Amino acid sequence: MPSNESLNQKVRLPRHHLRTFASRLHSRHSRRPSFLPSIKLINIVCISDTHGTQPPIPPGDLLLHAGDLSQWGTFAEIQAQLDWLSAQPHEYKVLIAGNHDLLLDSDFQLKRPLRWKQAMEASRRAPEQEHVDEELKTAKNLDWGGVVYLENSSTTLTFGQSDGKSARTVIIYGSPLTPEHGLSAFQHPKSQDIWTLTVPANTDILLTHGPPWGHLDGIKKSGCIYLAREIARTRPRMVVYGHIHVGHGTEEVVYDTVGRAFEGIQGGWAAWASLLKMAAGVAWGHLLPQQWRDRMRETTFVNAAVVEGWEDYRVKNEAQVITI
C-alpha cells in the first residue's frame, strides 16, 4: 500500500516546469488584432459533422462544412446533403469530406471492401434512408450543384465591393485527413507527419475535418500535433474543423513570437530556448506603443460540430458565424 504522503504528491509529467513558466509568461502577454474598416467584412457560417441531419443555417456570405456529411458514407446520404447545401442562399458553399464519408475516398473501397459492404448494409437497414443501387453509384455520379469541394487543395473566392469598401479575395485550403482511429476514410497513422509544408503560406482559411492538438479537441486532446505545428507556421486567419463533437466552440490565438513559442512548448516541439524568446517578446510587447500592438492578427479556431454522440446523432449545437 502506498503511503498517504505518496498519494498526496502531485503527478509531474516531463517538461512540467517548462510548461508552467511558459503559461505564466503567456498570461502576461496580451495583444489585440487589427481592425480594418476600409475592407469588406465577410460573414462566414461554419458547420461540421451533420451526419445526415439538416440543422438551421443562418444567413451569411460564405458557408463552410468541415466534413462528415453522412453517417454511413453512402451515395444517397451524401447526395442528400449536397442537395441541401447547394440550396442555401450563401454566395459560396465550400466543403471537405470527413472520415464517415466513405464514398468520397477513392481508395477506401479498394483497401477496405468488407468495411464498405458493411456500411452499405447498415444504410439499407436505416428506414429513413433513400435506397439506391449503391453498387453502381460512385463519387463521379454525384451532383455537386453550387458546392465547391476541396480535397488537399485550395480555392480562391472573390467577394465584391459594398458600401464603398474594397473587394476581397479569400483563399481556402481544405483537407479531410485525420489521424487513424478505426476503419474510416481519409485517415493516416498518428505518428505520420502529413502536414509539414503542405498548407500554402497565403491561406486565409484552413478547413480540416479533424482539430489541431490543444485547440477545441476534447478533454483527451485528440487533435493532431503536426497540424498544430503547421498552423503555427502559416498563421491563417481562421481554422475550421469538427470531428471531435464535444470540442464545439471558438478560440482566439495570436501567433506572434510569444504565441508561437508558447504553442511549441505546450505541443512538445520547442524547448527552453523558446522560453527565452517568450520572455523577450513579453518585455518588448509592454514597451511597444499600443497602436503597433494592434497590428497583430488573431487566428480564430472554430470547432463547428453540430451533433452530439457517436451513434444517436442529434443536433445539439448551432452553426457558428464568424466575421472577418
Side-chain angles (χ1 to χ4, degrees):
M1 288 288 291
S3 65
N4 290 334
E5 182 179 353
S6 64
L7 288 174
N8 291 332
Q9 289 179 347
K10 293 182 178 179
V11 175
R12 296 291 176 85
L13 298 176
R15 299 162 52 94
H16 166 77
H17 293 297
L18 175 58
R19 289 193 301 273
T20 299
F21 289 138
S23 296
R24 290 174 181 173
L25 279 173
H26 194 253
S27 68
R28 288 167 170 75
H29 181 66
S30 177
R31 291 187 170 182
R32 295 183 299 167
S34 58
F35 182 72
L36 303 175
S38 62
I39 64 174
K40 174 180 171 59
L41 297 179
I42 302 171
N43 293 315
I44 302 173
V45 181
C46 307
I47 59 173
S48 183
D49 296 81
T50 46
H51 290 289
T53 65
Q54 297 183 3
I57 304 295
D61 303 300
L62 170 62
L63 174 60
L64 299 177
H65 193 305
D68 271 2
L69 296 92
S70 61
Q71 183 172 355
W72 305 107
T74 63
F75 180 91
E77 290 178 287
I78 293 175
Q79 186 60 67
Q81 286 278 291
L82 290 177
D83 293 342
W84 167 62
L85 291 170
S86 189
Q88 300 304 314
H90 307 73
E91 185 174 359
Y92 297 105
K93 282 84 69 173
V94 179
L95 68 82
I96 59 172
N99 62 295
H100 279 250
D101 302 323
L102 309 184
L103 181 79
L104 299 179
D105 188 341
S106 58
D107 295 329
F108 186 84
Q109 296 178 44
L110 297 176
K111 293 179 180 179
R112 306 289 186 182
L114 180 59
R115 174 72 174 83
W116 174 242
K117 182 179 179 181
Q118 291 172 342
M120 289 190 294
E121 291 174 350
S123 177
R124 293 190 184 104
R125 290 195 297 269
E128 71 278 6
Q129 293 297 330
E130 177 186 352
H131 299 293
V132 299
D133 191 347
E134 298 285 354
E135 299 287 349
L136 302 178
K137 297 289 186 177
T138 70
K140 294 180 179 179
N141 300 115
L142 290 169
D143 180 2
W144 294 90
V147 175
V148 177
Y149 175 65
L150 298 179
E151 186 178 318
N152 305 315
S153 58
S154 295
T155 186
T156 300
L157 309 178
T158 301
F159 297 85
Q161 295 180 342
S162 65
D163 300 326
K165 296 179 179 180
S166 302
R168 290 181 66 182
T169 59
V170 174
I171 299 174
I172 305 173
Y173 181 84
S175 174
L177 299 175
T178 55
E180 195 170 45
H181 182 75
L183 299 179
S184 297
F186 298 108
Q187 297 199 322
H188 61 89
K190 293 182 180 180
S191 60
Q192 181 183 1
D193 179 6
I194 53 91
W195 283 106
T196 297
L197 301 179
T198 60
V199 179
N202 61 350
T203 298
D204 297 302
I205 300 174
L206 177 57
L207 183 62
T208 66
H209 182 55
W213 181 92
H215 298 283
L216 307 171
D217 57 343
I219 193 171
K220 295 182 179 179
K221 292 192 180 298
S222 302
C224 177
I225 195 72
Y226 302 111
L227 174 57
R229 191 165 62 185
E230 182 70 351
I231 292 169
R233 180 186 72 86
T234 55
R235 299 187 294 174
R237 178 62 186 85
M238 286 180 65
V239 185
V240 182
Y241 47 90
H243 191 45
I244 306 300
H245 300 174
V246 296
H248 177 268
T250 62
E251 179 186 1
E252 306 285 353
V253 175
V254 176
Y255 284 114
D256 56 1
T257 299
V258 175
R260 281 193 276 192
F262 178 73
E263 185 91 347
I265 291 171
Q266 297 300 315
W269 66 82
W272 285 94
S274 292
L275 190 69
L276 298 178
K277 290 182 180 180
M278 286 191 67
V282 170
W284 181 243
H286 284 287
L287 294 174
L288 282 176
Q290 183 64 45
Q291 62 269 27
W292 289 14
R293 284 189 257 167
D294 284 349
R295 295 176 185 174
M296 302 307 298
R297 189 178 78 167
E298 285 181 336
T299 293
T300 301
F301 291 84
V302 183
N303 184 323
V306 299
V307 303
E308 66 174 349
W310 301 104
E311 295 180 357
D312 182 18
Y313 296 107
R314 295 177 297 169
V315 175
K316 179 182 178 182
N317 304 312
E318 294 182 347
Q320 301 192 66
V321 182
I322 306 295
T323 300
I324 64 171

